[in-house]
Amino acid sequence: MCHDFHGTIEFIGKRWMGIIIYQLLNGPKRFSELTENIPGISDRLLTERLRELEKEGLIIKAMIPSQKKAHYELTPAGRELETVISSILNWIRIKQKLSN
Amino acid sequence: MCHDFHGTIEFIGKRWMGIIIYQLLNGPKRFSELTENIPGISDRLLTERLRELEKEGLIIKAMIPSQKKAHYELTPAGRELETVISSILNWIRIKQKLSN
DNA sequence: CTGTATCCCCTCCGATACTG
DNA sequence: CAGTATCGGAGGGGATACAG
């Protein structure tokens, strides 16, 4: 359990990872949409993070063959991350209150 | 907000950070107790992480002058991280169920 | 016991260029 | 648009030694 915890928390703590997941929680997104909504991220890193998320089974890449458009969307396991993201967002709020 | 989120998630995703917080949620701990309970961590990194946690106001170092013993314990803000840690632990469980 | 100080490798990441 | 390939610098982190 300790090992999984360690792996998980470092995985979602990777650079840009949290924000990418956060974006995807608002619905499927295309590569270019992610680029636009995440200021500062490079193509290289976005690609790398997306592949890692795919590999972990947290997102899938869906192709629409008629048009040649790729979408990325969360799997059920990925969607369950909403709780984690929310708790972090909530903690940030709490912390700011406490520091007054 | 995006900036805070980014900073926070990367902060707690640093190597050993999650486990250190997890240990401290079970009550104040001494340096040596943390070393024993966290297999593989080095003195150097434990020190570094503790200093970062102090700087962020998430733990305090309490000295007992009579004996020369240091304790580390979570501040109120630090204790609020329990929700975040729990949600991650819970997500790991959910993910394992989903992968059956 | 509770750290600090170095050294140094090796990974992460940014920049840049290129492709179908 | 949606990536892939390559390079090079910065720094994170392991190993080791030392200290009050």
Side-chain angles (χ1 to χ4, degrees):
Chain A
M1 154 277 179
C2 177
H3 175 263
D4 282 345
F5 175 65
H6 213 296
T8 301
I9 204 164
E10 286 178 14
F11 182 79
I12 67 173
K14 284 191 174 188
R15 188 121 217 237
W16 307 111
M17 196 62 98
I19 299 235
I20 294 171
I21 295 165
Y22 180 80
Q23 288 296 323
L24 258 17
L25 281 169
N26 292 324
K29 294 267 180 307
R30 309 196 48 200
F31 191 91
S32 52
E33 290 179 297
L34 289 169
T35 303
E36 288 158 23
N37 292 332
I38 306 174
I41 197 171
S42 67
D43 289 354
R44 197 180 75 72
L45 262 288
L46 179 52
T47 303
E48 196 168 306
R49 289 297 104 91
L50 288 171
R51 296 293 160 272
E52 290 165 354
L53 286 163
E54 257 184 297
K55 195 175 162 191
E56 284 299 305
L58 304 184
I59 63 170
I60 50 161
K61 181 179 180 174
M63 271 302 221
I64 305 177
S66 56
Q67 311 149 45
K68 287 172 180 175
K69 303 199 168 181
H71 278 75
Y72 294 94
E73 61 178 295
L74 295 169
T75 61
R79 250 174 277 124
E80 293 291 339
L81 279 170
E82 179 153 24
T83 318
V84 177
I85 303 292
S86 300
S87 72
I88 293 170
L89 255 16
N90 195 46
W91 181 79
I92 293 171
R93 265 178 252 120
I94 291 174
K95 199 198 169 198
Q96 279 163 355
K97 271 193 191 166
L98 285 174
S99 68
N100 293 340
Chain B
M1 153 276 178
C2 176
H3 173 262
D4 283 344
F5 175 64
H6 213 295
T8 300
I9 204 165
E10 285 178 14
F11 182 79
I12 67 173
K14 283 191 175 189
R15 189 119 215 239
W16 308 110
M17 196 61 98
I19 299 237
I20 294 171
I21 296 166
Y22 180 80
Q23 289 294 323
L24 259 17
L25 282 169
N26 292 326
K29 295 267 180 305
R30 308 195 48 200
F31 192 88
S32 52
E33 291 179 295
L34 290 169
T35 303
E36 288 158 23
N37 292 332
I38 306 175
I41 197 171
S42 66
D43 290 353
R44 197 180 74 73
L45 263 288
L46 179 53
T47 303
E48 196 168 307
R49 289 296 102 93
L50 288 171
R51 295 294 160 274
E52 289 165 353
L53 286 163
E54 256 184 297
K55 195 174 162 194
E56 284 299 305
L58 305 184
I59 64 171
I60 52 161
K61 179 180 181 173
M63 269 304 222
I64 305 176
S66 56
Q67 310 150 45
K68 287 172 178 174
K69 304 199 168 182
H71 278 77
Y72 294 94
E73 62 178 296
L74 295 169
T75 61
R79 250 175 277 124
E80 292 291 338
L81 278 171
E82 179 153 23
T83 318
V84 176
I85 304 291
S86 301
S87 72
I88 293 171
L89 255 18
N90 195 47
W91 180 77
I92 293 171
R93 266 178 251 119
I94 291 174
K95 199 198 169 197
Q96 279 162 355
K97 272 192 191 166
L98 285 175
S99 67
N100 294 341

